[in-house]
Amino acid sequence: MPVRQLPEQVVNRIAAGEVVERPASVVKELVENAIDAGASRIDVFTDGGGRRRIGITDDGGGMTARDLSLAVERHATSKLDDEDLLQIRTLGFRGEALPSIGSVARLAITTRHAGEPHAWALNVEGGDKSEIMPAALAHGTRVEVNDLFYATPARLKFLKTDRTEAEAIREVVRRLAMARPEIAFTLAGEERAPVTWAAALPGVAGRLTRLGDILGAEFRSHALEVHAEREGVVVAGYAAAPALTKANALGQYLFVNGRPVRDKLILGAVRGAYADYLPRDRHPVLALFVTLDPREVDANVHPAKTEVRFRNAGLVRALIVHGLKEGLAREGRRTAANSGESALSSFRPAFTPRPASWDWRASPSAPVAPMPSFDGSAVPAFTERAQAAFDVGAPSADVRIESQPVSDLVDRPLGAARTQIHETYIVSQTRDGLIIVDQHAAHERIVYERLKASLAENGVQRQILLIPEIVEMDEATVERLLERSEELASFGLAIESFGPGAVAVRETPSLLGKTNAGGLLRDLSEHMAEWDEALPLERRLMHVAATMACHGSVRAGRRLRPEEMNALLREMEETPNSGQCNHGRPTYVELKLSDVEKLFGRR
């Protein structure tokens, strides 16, 4: 078959395959055009999940008749002053969206420029352009897309249900609304009730207001401000405290120069920053905005412009990690659990109100014989013998009520220890409430932060075992451990081969004290099996530190003396990020006295 030039209509439909994947793609392109036109209000209406109709109305600058005629031609744009693709300061720049949409749908554009006496209208159906006609419109632009993919019926088979497509449109508008809090957005359609996000004030406060409107009040209450800047690159935004998480990464919104993107580099940096705070199966909720010189980022690497490429990717990643870690450290003890809300929500009334006609004689607890008369001594029902059934033993450890906590301890953030229950939880008293501490989780965080500090300063102190401990494992596990022996040695864990299927442990970190070397090595080997060479050395070392901290901390089931409990509380107050252990679990729960009074109906 000879080579031939494809007709313009076919070329447009091929381009539409890249630009117009689904109705949400159309909404994205048209809303971006409205933003670039300087709109302060954008209204989006859809019907049939965008398949039957999409309508976008804005109050932007509008177009003249000449510009309108050119706008639906291939590669015609007003957004590039010259041919420099490294100075892109707008969301759109290729000039492909309108001709691509017009080649697969019925497109109608009505627009009015401030310098025109009236509005102009233009229709494009299946790639065929009509004549420009006068029309009525006060200002701005109105774009309507009807019967999407009618010219390419095969594409309709790949669309999902109307509800699914409508949700995809909603997500696109949400992302663009987050990026531009100064613009008012309205999203309406047959599939949903109208949603309006009012224009917010410029600056940090306005950004948080818009994020709270979109992500919910829970995000606003847990939001931590993030800001880092270096060499002309600024990372700003808000991240939720470690307690507000999701089961997937869909709650992570990333923007580069105002453009919503999904960048693996940024997502990896977010995972690295939260590595010390969250369990492996949980993901943070955040919205980060990266601003830098357009010459330092290439936005022309993806057909839908959803990916970017940074010239100095290492700097961007380092700034994101630094900004997030700084914000998290600033609110180190702030978790959802210690606010008491999650703890209080698990309480349920232990009784149901009795009906007004309740007769105590019909109760199963009614006495079967007359009660003996009171003769000055306690009745048998209240004797010590009868009460013996309620004796469940004394607390694991107790700080006697006679020895009232010293005033300055009660005024400390974590209060004064009062007792230990189930040999696992420490109960402390504060000036306005009580705190329940998980002793293992709390000490695990303390040991972990000590290991990191020692590694950063002068290395982890070691203790030489008088008799090396021999740990037997399968040969593959032994090889895996020996390959990482240098990394383990940096944390004070010295191992060497002891024949096939065995490892000799000669030194352990002194911070861990007496530890079970066999259990520690087995846990380390399981974690190493999940690593790959792409995982940065720093992340691998932190995994090692986290596993060692878990083995070297106070275990649940260990009885503590009062002075030990208070010492643990004081260390928690001085330790960064002590609100959760390095697996992401909360280390303590705080209940205000007012919350307890509500539980008992005193408020």
Side-chain angles (χ1 to χ4, degrees), residues 224-239 254-257 265-274 286-293 296 310 312-328 330 538:
L224 312 174
E225 186 177 355
V226 176
H227 187 86
E229 184 174 357
R230 191 194 310 163
E231 298 178 20
V233 181
V234 180
V235 175
Y238 289 89
L254 310 171
F255 306 86
V256 176
N257 287 347
L265 168 77
I266 299 178
L267 291 174
V270 170
R271 282 196 301 270
Y274 273 87
L286 49 81
L288 293 181
F289 301 82
V290 181
T291 306
L292 70 169
D293 188 326
E296 298 297 318
F310 296 100
N312 190 348
L315 173 62
V316 175
R317 184 187 186 281
L319 271 181
I320 291 172
V321 173
H322 172 72
L324 285 172
K325 284 190 172 182
E326 188 178 63
L328 291 168
R330 190 171 59 246
E538 179 186 3

Side-chain angles (χ1 to χ4, degrees), residues 498-557:
F498 196 76
V503 170
V505 181
R506 298 196 175 276
E507 299 177 6
T508 60
S510 58
L511 272 174
L512 304 187
K514 186 177 180 181
T515 185
N516 178 4
L520 174 60
L521 285 180
R522 290 185 181 90
D523 280 357
L524 284 171
S525 66
E526 290 176 4
H527 293 320
M528 289 176 179
E530 301 175 2
W531 297 352
D532 56 31
E533 293 303 322
L535 191 66
L537 175 61
E538 179 186 3
R539 288 279 303 280
R540 297 202 298 264
L541 293 178
M542 291 306 102
H543 279 306
V544 174
T547 306
M548 288 184 173
C550 185
H551 280 264
S553 56
V554 173
R555 311 301 293 185

Side-chain angles (χ1 to χ4, degrees), residues 459-571:
V460 178
Q461 299 297 317
R462 308 180 179 193
Q463 58 184 4
I464 301 175
L465 301 182
L466 185 62
I467 301 175
E469 186 169 344
I470 309 302
V471 182
E472 295 184 354
M473 291 174 287
D474 61 86
E475 293 188 19
T477 303
V478 170
E479 291 178 4
R480 192 182 306 128
L481 285 169
L482 293 176
E483 286 176 0
R484 307 285 187 182
S485 60
E486 291 185 7
E487 296 175 15
L488 298 178
S490 65
F491 278 96
L493 184 63
I495 62 173
E496 60 184 38
S497 176
F498 196 76
V503 170
V505 181
R506 298 196 175 276
E507 299 177 6
T508 60
S510 58
L511 272 174
L512 304 187
K514 186 177 180 181
T515 185
N516 178 4
L520 174 60
L521 285 180
R522 290 185 181 90
D523 280 357
L524 284 171
S525 66
E526 290 176 4
H527 293 320
M528 289 176 179
E530 301 175 2
W531 297 352
D532 56 31
E533 293 303 322
L535 191 66
L537 175 61
E538 179 186 3
R539 288 279 303 280
R540 297 202 298 264
L541 293 178
M542 291 306 102
H543 279 306
V544 174
T547 306
M548 288 184 173
C550 185
H551 280 264
S553 56
V554 173
R555 311 301 293 185
R558 175 181 165 185
R559 185 169 297 183
L560 300 178
R561 297 190 302 275
E563 55 270 23
E564 291 178 315
M565 290 187 277
N566 276 311
L568 183 62
L569 297 178
R570 302 293 79 80
E571 286 190 85

Side-chain angles (χ1 to χ4, degrees), residues 17 33 76 114 139 152 165 172 200 223 263 273 354 377 389 432 434 436 469 532 537 545 561 565 575 596 600:
N33 282 347
H139 53 78
T152 53
E165 296 297 340
V172 163
D263 187 82
R354 292 169 177 165
S377 62
D432 59 350
L434 62 93
I436 304 172
E469 186 169 344
D532 56 31
L537 175 61
R561 297 190 302 275
M565 290 187 277
T575 301
V596 178
F600 289 96

Side-chain angles (χ1 to χ4, degrees), residues 239-398:
L244 181 60
T245 60
K246 290 185 177 292
N248 52 47
L250 296 180
Q252 298 174 15
Y253 298 92
L254 310 171
F255 306 86
V256 176
N257 287 347
R259 184 190 306 279
V261 299
R262 288 191 175 277
D263 187 82
K264 293 180 179 179
L265 168 77
I266 299 178
L267 291 174
V270 170
R271 282 196 301 270
Y274 273 87
D276 289 354
Y277 299 87
L278 298 183
R280 297 181 184 180
D281 58 343
R282 304 301 297 177
H283 300 266
V285 181
L286 49 81
L288 293 181
F289 301 82
V290 181
T291 306
L292 70 169
D293 188 326
R295 292 183 175 277
E296 298 297 318
V297 59
D298 187 359
N300 192 28
V301 296
H302 190 275
K305 303 186 290 289
T306 57
E307 296 179 7
V308 294
R309 184 173 298 146
F310 296 100
R311 178 171 293 182
N312 190 348
L315 173 62
V316 175
R317 184 187 186 281
L319 271 181
I320 291 172
V321 173
H322 172 72
L324 285 172
K325 284 190 172 182
E326 188 178 63
L328 291 168
R330 190 171 59 246
E331 302 285 347
R333 289 195 297 272
R334 182 176 171 187
T335 64
N338 66 32
S339 68
E341 295 175 5
S342 59
L344 288 171
S345 64
S346 55
F347 283 95
R348 297 289 183 271
F351 64 95
T352 54
R354 292 169 177 165
S357 59
W358 181 75
D359 183 5
W360 67 271
R361 301 180 191 86
S363 170
S365 302
V368 295
M371 292 292 291
S373 60
F374 181 70
D375 58 0
S377 62
V379 292
F382 291 89
T383 59
E384 292 184 3
R385 183 184 300 275
Q387 289 292 299
F390 295 94
D391 185 8
V392 294
S396 305
D398 190 13

